[in-house]
């Protein structure tokens, strides 16, 4: 007698793979969280050197104006939250290779060998491009931006009790009211991390578009045809991601648009390589108009 319940109709058989995937996902998330928390604790113990490193751009800009480098705490708890913010940022950066490895371990079993070979370079290129963008923001953009912002100071650049220092070109007996930078630690770190993250994420554009081109989701011709819309989107991004500083906005637009053009060339190279492989296998069909 035939069984009433066929093996294919058993819900337990179909749910088992899903449960296994969820268990694997849970394991990868747990390992990622453990790595992030451990890295955050490590960064909390050395938050002072990290803080000193992040404040070098503003210190160099102030020293060029013969001003002392110093930021102030406006709130009693501000120092603690600054240490926590530095720990979170540093912990994520330090743990990112482990998090990326856990992501790779989760998706790799579901990929074919050629898909693994195609996806792995993008997984490696993503953090590399992020660090390049962050370094570009730190060493190039931040000095220009802070020099621009500090240019709005006027009059004596120190408080009266500290001994006034008159900027070059301003008469010593100038009646101008002093406008002196006395920055908040929290505000400065917020602005600095915003610059670094904006440029780090912007440098992901070639990785993202090239990966989409590899998957066949975008084409070089398609990216070229929407170039005018891409310019508009990049202008909006530059206006939102950076403070109201024309110089930094122009630089960010130039860099991101340059990355967009590079992405088009990378996608075109992938398309040519794919075409050559298909031609070698005799599977390529040239587009021809129907008679």
């Amino acid at each position: 007698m035939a069984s009433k319940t066929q093996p294919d109709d058993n819900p337990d058989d179909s749910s088992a793979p899903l449960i296994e995937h969820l268990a694997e996902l849970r394991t990868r998330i747990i390992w990622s969280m453990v790595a992030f928390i451990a890295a955050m604790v490590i960064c909390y113990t050395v938050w002072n050197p990290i803080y000193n490193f992040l404040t070098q751009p503003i210190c160099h800009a102030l020293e060029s104006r013969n001003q002392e480098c110093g930021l102030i705490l406006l709130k009693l708890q501000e120092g603690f939250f600054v240490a926590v913010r530095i720990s979170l940022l540093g912990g994520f950066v330090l743990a990112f290779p482990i998090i990326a490895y856990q992501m790779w371990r989760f998706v790799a079993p579901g990929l074919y060998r050629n898909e693994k070979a195609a996806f792995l370079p993008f997984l490696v290129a993503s953090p590399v491009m992020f660090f390049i963008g962050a370094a570009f923001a730190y060493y190039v953009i931040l000095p220009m931006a802070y020099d621009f912002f500090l240019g709005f100071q006027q009059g004596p650049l120190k408080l009266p009790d500290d001994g006034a220092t008159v900027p070059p070109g301003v008469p010593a007996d100038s009646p101008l009211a002093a406008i002196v930078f006395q920055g908040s630690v929290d505000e400065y770190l917020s602005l600095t991390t915003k610059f670094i993250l904006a440029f780090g994420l912007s440098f992901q554009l070639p990785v993202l578009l090239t990966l989409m081109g590899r998957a066949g989701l975008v084409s070089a011709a398609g990216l070229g045809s929407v170039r005018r819309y891409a310019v508009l989107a990049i202008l909006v991004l530059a206006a939102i991601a950076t403070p109201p500083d024309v110089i930094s906005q122009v630089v960010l637009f130039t860099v991101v648009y340059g990355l967009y053009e590079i992405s088009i060339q990378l996608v075109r190279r992938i398309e040519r390589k794919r075409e050559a492989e298909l031609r070698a296998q005799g599977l390529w069909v040239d587009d021809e108009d129907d008679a």
Side-chain angles (χ1 to χ4, degrees):
M1 178 181 294
S3 176
K4 294 181 180 180
T5 303
Q6 298 296 329
D8 294 339
D9 297 333
N10 190 346
D12 293 336
D13 294 338
S14 60
S15 62
L18 177 60
I19 294 176
E20 293 176 1
H21 286 305
L22 292 177
E24 178 70 13
L25 178 61
R26 181 188 62 181
T27 301
R28 300 307 168 191
I29 292 177
I30 290 175
W31 278 111
S32 299
M33 292 300 299
V34 169
F36 172 70
I37 293 174
M40 186 180 67
V41 172
I42 294 174
C43 291
Y44 184 81
T45 61
V46 293
W47 75 270
N48 282 109
I50 299 176
Y51 165 79
N52 294 333
F53 176 77
L54 292 176
T55 53
Q56 286 184 7
I58 190 65
C59 287
H60 291 162
L62 288 170
E63 290 172 359
S64 65
R65 289 172 165 79
N66 297 322
Q67 294 179 256
E68 294 183 0
C69 178
L71 302 174
I72 59 177
L73 298 174
L74 298 180
K75 301 177 183 178
L76 183 61
Q77 72 276 17
E78 186 173 337
F80 170 74
F81 287 113
V82 165
V84 171
R85 174 177 292 183
I86 292 176
S87 302
L88 290 172
L89 179 63
F92 177 76
V93 173
L94 191 62
F96 184 82
I98 299 177
I99 296 174
Y101 174 74
Q102 295 300 324
M103 293 172 55
W104 170 252
R105 288 291 303 272
F106 177 72
V107 302
L111 300 176
Y112 294 105
R113 180 176 299 178
N114 58 340
E115 293 175 335
K116 292 181 181 180
F119 183 74
L120 186 57
F122 295 100
L123 188 64
V124 176
S126 181
V128 172
M129 292 300 296
F130 180 85
F131 283 120
I132 292 176
F136 181 80
Y138 180 84
Y139 291 105
V140 178
I141 301 300
L142 290 182
M144 291 193 305
Y146 294 155
D147 186 69
F148 172 81
F149 291 144
L150 292 176
F152 289 94
Q153 297 181 110
Q154 70 174 14
L157 298 184
K158 292 184 179 180
L159 297 178
D161 295 339
D162 298 332
T165 300
V166 180
V170 178
D173 56 350
S174 174
L176 296 176
I179 301 179
V180 185
F181 170 73
Q182 289 183 297
S184 164
V185 176
D186 185 67
E187 287 292 332
Y188 171 78
L189 287 178
S190 177
L191 182 63
T192 301
T193 54
K194 185 177 181 180
F195 266 112
I196 293 176
L197 290 177
F199 278 85
L201 294 176
S202 298
F203 272 63
Q204 298 297 308
L205 185 63
V207 179
L208 177 61
L209 292 181
T210 306
L211 181 59
M212 294 176 66
R214 180 78 181 185
L217 300 177
V218 297
S219 63
L223 293 175
S225 64
V226 298
R227 184 178 282 108
R228 65 180 67 180
Y229 303 106
V231 170
L232 179 60
I234 295 172
L235 285 173
V236 174
L237 172 66
I240 295 176
T242 57
D245 170 19
V246 178
I247 297 177
S248 59
Q249 290 177 355
V250 170
V251 173
L252 179 58
F253 168 79
T254 304
V255 171
V256 176
Y257 180 73
L259 293 174
Y260 183 80
E261 293 293 338
I262 292 175
S263 302
I264 294 177
Q265 299 303 320
L266 292 175
V267 173
R268 181 173 288 114
R269 181 179 179 182
I270 290 175
E271 292 174 345
R272 290 173 179 172
K273 183 177 179 181
R274 183 186 299 124
E275 178 182 348
E277 292 176 353
L278 293 176
R279 285 184 182 276
Q281 298 172 6
L283 301 177
W284 180 260
V285 178
D286 292 323
D287 295 332
E288 296 179 356
D289 295 333
D290 294 337

